[in-house]
């Protein structure tokens, strides 16, 4: 054995058999969690209705949701720019989140989400005309084969852009949302997405907005008053999120394939493992939509709102008052300290004896 071989250190790895068992157990946990979520929908619905009756009373409704958003955790708050907060604070009346594919018997896909934002209209909303903005997210499953013939499974949320009728000069998305809606509409008429003029227009608009955002960030590098969103755009670009191009029919077939595969696993039969390795062999459709995505973090934000902000809204509302009280006490202490300092400065100083 050479000196070099003696210095080689064998890195321990999980055996293929153990890794397979771990993967199957993880799938059991996921399935149990999804079933738990599914059964919770009809149980929680009466409570959410009761909460809605409470928060829509005049003394609470006016500032309920803006207080909730202003006290939201960082993974939500970071997407709300000051300009977005101005809209939400002055015009948002109500918000609801539904797992709309689950029926009263607790049957259906619980990971699909519907967000309904209700706004003031007319002069009370100087930003846009819409009274309601309804954004549906569908949970989709896609099973494909790589170029090497390896099985791949993708699951996630997909959606369609929702147009906002902005008043003149008020579009916080700087044309991104309109361009996303135009492309989605053009696709329904048929044709290769990449060949559509709306596709090129949207891709160029995304590049333009990103360039402007980067320039503004560089110019105001020391100014923390207007932070940049991780999405690189307004919160309202969230309504333009699309995700992967997976139809309901494709998803239905994907779910069927997954259920058949899981049944074999439960019986102890051999199944083809998914390809977990990352490579550059991606579907053209996925790459197309990736270039044309106006809010890349749409799925993450949707899940955060549905799993955190929505169920914990009352907690965040109450905490907003607790924080205000703490700040008020702090301000009083600072004021007292400033008065003491002023008193000391206003006293005539004794002359120094010579």
């Amino acid at each position: 054995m050479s000196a070099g071989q003696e210095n080689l250190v064998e890195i321990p790895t999980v055996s293929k058999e153990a890794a397979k068992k771990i993967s199957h157990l993880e799938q059991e946990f996921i399935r149990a969690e999804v079933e738990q979520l599914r059964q919770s929908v009809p149980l929680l619905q009466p409570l959410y209705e009761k909460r809605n009756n409470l928060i829509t009373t005049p003394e609470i409704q006016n500032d309920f949701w803006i207080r909730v958003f202003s006290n939201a955790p960082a993974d939500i708050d970071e997407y709300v720019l000051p300009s977005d907060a101005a809209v939400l604070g002055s015009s948002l009346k109500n918000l609801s989140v539904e797992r709309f594919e689950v029926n009263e018997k607790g049957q259906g896909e619980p990971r699909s989400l519907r967000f309904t934002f209700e706004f003031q209209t007319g002069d009370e909303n100087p930003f846009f005309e819409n009274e309601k903005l309804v954004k549906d997210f569908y949970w989709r499953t896609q099973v494909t084969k790589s170029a090497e013939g390896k099985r791949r499974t993708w699951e996630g949320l997909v959606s369609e852009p929702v147009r906002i009728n902005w008043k003149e000069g008020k579009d916080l998305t700087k044309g991104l949302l309109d361009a996303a809606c135009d492309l989605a509409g053009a696709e329904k008429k048929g044709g290769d997405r990449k060949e559509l003029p709306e596709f090129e227009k949207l891709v160029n608009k995304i590049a333009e907005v990103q360039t402007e955002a980067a320039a503004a960030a560089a110019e105001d590098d020391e100014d923390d008053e207007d932070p940049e969103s991780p999405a690189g755009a307004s919160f309202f670009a969230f309504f333009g999120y699309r995700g992967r191009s997976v139809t309901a029919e494709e998803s239905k077939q994907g779910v069927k394939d997954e259920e058949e595969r899981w049944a074999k696993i439960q019986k102890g039969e051999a199944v083809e493992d998914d390809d977990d390795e990352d490579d550059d062999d991606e579907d053209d459709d996925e790459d197309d939509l990736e270039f044309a995505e106006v809010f890349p973090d749409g799925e993450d934000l949707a899940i955060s709102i549905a799993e955190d902000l929505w169920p914990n809204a009352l907690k965040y509302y109450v905490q907003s008052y607790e924080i205000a009280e703490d700040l008020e006490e702090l301000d009083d202490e600072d004021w007292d300290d400033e008065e003491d300092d002023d008193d000391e400065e206003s006293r005539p100083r004794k002359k120094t004896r010579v």
Side-chain angles (χ1 to χ4, degrees):
M1 182 181 293
S2 66
Q5 289 176 322
E6 291 179 356
N7 293 330
L8 290 177
V9 177
E10 184 178 350
I11 300 176
T13 58
V14 179
S15 67
K16 287 186 177 180
E17 186 61 30
K20 184 179 295 186
K21 291 180 179 179
I22 291 172
S23 176
H24 293 170
L25 183 56
E26 287 177 337
Q27 289 181 50
E28 286 194 65
F29 274 108
I30 292 172
R31 285 174 169 268
E33 289 169 357
V34 171
E35 182 59 30
Q36 184 180 42
L37 179 60
R38 181 182 292 112
Q39 297 304 320
S40 72
V41 174
L43 292 175
L44 292 175
Q45 185 58 34
L47 296 179
Y48 285 132
E49 291 175 358
K50 188 175 182 179
R51 185 183 73 180
N52 188 64
N53 291 334
L54 171 64
I55 67 176
T56 52
T57 55
E59 65 270 23
I60 296 178
Q61 184 177 28
N62 288 339
D63 65 350
F64 180 82
W65 284 109
I66 188 55
R67 282 184 173 276
V68 172
F69 270 99
S70 65
N71 203 43
D75 57 352
I76 297 174
D77 179 68
E78 63 185 352
Y79 291 102
V80 182
L81 299 176
S83 52
D84 300 322
V87 179
L88 297 174
S90 63
S91 302
L92 181 63
K93 291 170 54 180
N94 205 0
L95 166 65
S96 65
V97 179
E98 303 169 75
R99 298 188 182 273
F100 66 98
E101 290 197 313
V102 177
N103 61 26
E104 296 178 353
K105 297 180 180 179
Q107 301 169 334
E109 175 53 67
R111 289 167 289 187
S112 293
L113 301 166
R114 171 173 293 153
F115 297 87
T116 302
F117 291 76
E118 299 179 38
F119 293 92
Q120 303 281 1
T121 57
D123 295 339
E124 294 181 336
N125 184 345
F127 304 98
F128 48 79
E129 302 289 349
N130 309 67
E131 182 179 0
K132 283 186 179 182
L133 293 174
V134 181
K135 178 75 169 170
D136 289 344
F137 289 77
Y138 294 87
W139 185 264
R140 295 283 192 248
T141 300
Q142 184 182 49
V143 178
T144 58
K145 293 282 187 179
S146 69
E148 293 79 16
K150 296 180 180 179
R151 185 181 189 276
R152 283 179 173 172
T153 302
W154 177 89
E155 290 183 311
L157 292 172
V158 304
S159 185
E160 286 293 316
V162 176
R163 193 180 295 275
I164 296 178
N165 300 321
W166 297 97
K167 295 183 178 180
E168 186 175 356
K170 299 296 185 178
D171 185 357
L172 298 183
T173 72
K174 301 178 180 180
L176 281 177
L177 184 55
D178 280 345
C181 292
D182 291 343
L183 174 60
E187 287 178 24
K188 294 178 181 178
K189 300 177 183 178
D192 185 349
R193 177 186 296 119
K194 292 184 296 183
E195 302 299 323
L196 295 172
E198 289 84 359
F199 178 81
E200 182 179 2
K201 179 182 177 182
L202 176 55
V203 172
N204 291 338
K205 175 60 69 173
I206 291 173
E208 176 188 325
V209 171
Q210 289 177 341
T211 300
E212 291 178 0
E219 184 178 342
D220 302 329
D221 190 32
E222 297 180 358
D223 184 7
D224 295 329
E225 293 183 1
D226 194 9
E228 182 181 355
S229 163
S234 161
F235 170 82
F236 288 92
F238 169 74
F239 291 94
Y241 170 79
R242 294 188 67 179
R244 189 178 290 206
S245 180
V246 183
T247 66
E249 292 73 19
E250 290 172 331
S251 182
K252 185 177 180 180
Q253 182 60 48
V255 171
K256 182 175 180 292
D257 292 345
E258 279 291 277
E259 290 302 320
E260 291 175 352
R261 181 174 181 271
W262 182 246
K264 290 181 180 180
I265 292 175
Q266 294 293 85
K267 295 177 182 177
E269 299 178 12
V271 296
E272 181 183 2
D273 291 329
D274 278 346
D275 178 21
D276 295 327
E277 296 182 4
D278 294 330
D279 55 37
D280 296 329
D281 178 30
E282 299 289 346
D283 295 334
D284 291 339
D285 284 345
E286 181 187 355
D287 288 341
D288 290 350
L289 281 182
E290 181 181 349
F291 292 133
E293 184 61 75
V294 300
F295 202 92
D297 297 341
E299 177 174 339
D300 293 337
L301 181 56
I303 292 174
S304 294
I305 293 175
E307 295 186 353
D308 192 340
L309 190 80
W310 172 248
N312 297 312
L314 290 177
K315 180 185 75 172
Y316 292 132
Y317 176 72
V318 172
Q319 284 180 353
S320 72
Y321 282 97
E322 294 173 349
I323 292 175
E325 290 174 359
D326 291 341
L327 291 175
E328 186 177 348
E329 292 176 2
L330 182 61
D331 289 342
D332 289 342
E333 292 175 2
D334 289 345
W335 179 254
D336 291 341
D337 291 341
E338 289 178 5
E339 286 185 338
D340 291 341
D341 293 340
D342 291 341
D343 289 343
E344 290 179 3
E345 292 179 2
S346 62
R347 293 192 193 103
R349 294 182 180 178
K350 293 182 180 179
K351 293 182 180 180
T352 306
R353 290 186 181 181
V354 293

